[in-house]
Amino acid sequence: MLGKLCPVLLFLCFSGTDARIWAWMLNMPHSPPKEGAKTLKERAPLAKALTAVCDSDRACERGFSCDRHFGLCVPLRGEGQYCRRDAQCVRGLTCMFGKCHRSIPNGQEGSRCKADKDCGASMCCARHHGEMVCKKRLVRDESCYVPDGGLAFSINQICPCEEGLLCRENSTQPSRERDIIYQPEWTSWTCQVRIL
């Protein structure tokens, strides 16, 4: 009876925010992955690598990287696994948007960049979920509205219109009442042919 009552009492003692923080802390890995005591004894070098203390990747053995948060060497991660930086992924993968992904060759759409010159023709360097990547320039009649600033602008950006096109207002009214609520203004913005 007391065992069933304890979780209820804990729930009543904490606010919703505290409960989420405790749930997060209890779900965090407090130690390296468990493989069973017998297996670790048989593979002593692996056990040593899993418990090696580190402050940089050089302190870890081959096939491991330093998890600087915990200060421990951890195995490199495969495609689709969570990461914080490129060094945590196996060779050929990069850490983008918090997961290990296949590397995209420089200059192609989706590859990392620092400036427009790093991207191929008809592309620009813009933020996607906070990461600077090569994106295609907008084509004719494609939506080109850009927020003045704020979080929406700083996390995701779009490229300007292709050469010879300008981003201009359309004078059309929204077709449905629902569109009025979600559009920032009564007019939409699209890439249109430059009129001289």
Side-chain angles (χ1 to χ4, degrees), residues 33-196:
K34 297 176 183 171
E35 291 191 29
K38 187 176 180 183
T39 310
L40 287 176
K41 285 178 186 174
E42 290 172 2
R43 292 192 272 165
L46 178 61
K48 183 181 176 185
L50 284 172
T51 58
V53 177
C54 63
D55 59 355
S56 71
D57 292 327
R58 282 186 240 127
C60 299
E61 294 185 18
R62 188 177 185 158
F64 290 82
S65 70
C66 183
D67 186 326
R68 294 179 187 154
H69 181 78
F70 294 108
L72 295 173
C73 294
V74 294
L76 295 177
R77 296 167 182 160
E79 190 170 0
Q81 291 182 314
Y82 289 112
C83 59
R84 287 189 219 84
R85 53 194 181 86
D86 289 345
Q88 291 180 319
C89 301
V90 296
R91 180 176 276 174
L93 301 181
T94 56
C95 185
M96 292 195 63
F97 318 121
K99 287 190 176 183
C100 295
H101 293 279
R102 291 192 186 277
S103 298
I104 300 171
N106 292 339
Q108 292 187 8
E109 187 176 5
S111 66
R112 285 193 181 133
C113 58
K114 291 183 181 177
D116 291 348
K117 64 180 179 168
D118 299 335
C119 302
S122 296
M123 285 194 257
C124 81
C125 188
R127 290 190 194 284
H128 184 74
H129 299 305
E131 183 103 37
M132 297 295 284
V133 297
C134 293
K135 291 183 173 184
K136 288 188 177 181
R137 289 182 170 266
L138 303 176
V139 296
R140 186 175 180 177
D141 295 327
E142 196 167 1
S143 177
C144 59
Y145 175 78
V146 177
D148 292 332
L151 190 60
F153 176 76
S154 61
I155 292 178
N156 290 307
Q157 298 172 333
I158 59 172
C159 286
C161 300
E162 278 190 344
E163 198 75 29
L165 301 176
L166 287 176
C167 186
R168 293 193 174 173
E169 286 182 299
N170 285 338
S171 58
T172 58
Q173 297 292 324
S175 58
R176 294 175 293 199
E177 197 173 306
R178 183 176 61 89
D179 293 339
I180 296 170
I181 297 168
Y182 295 111
Q183 288 204 351
E185 299 179 16
W186 284 88
T187 55
S188 63
W189 294 75
T190 57
C191 292
Q192 300 173 16
V193 177
R194 183 181 304 199
I195 300 170
L196 298 174

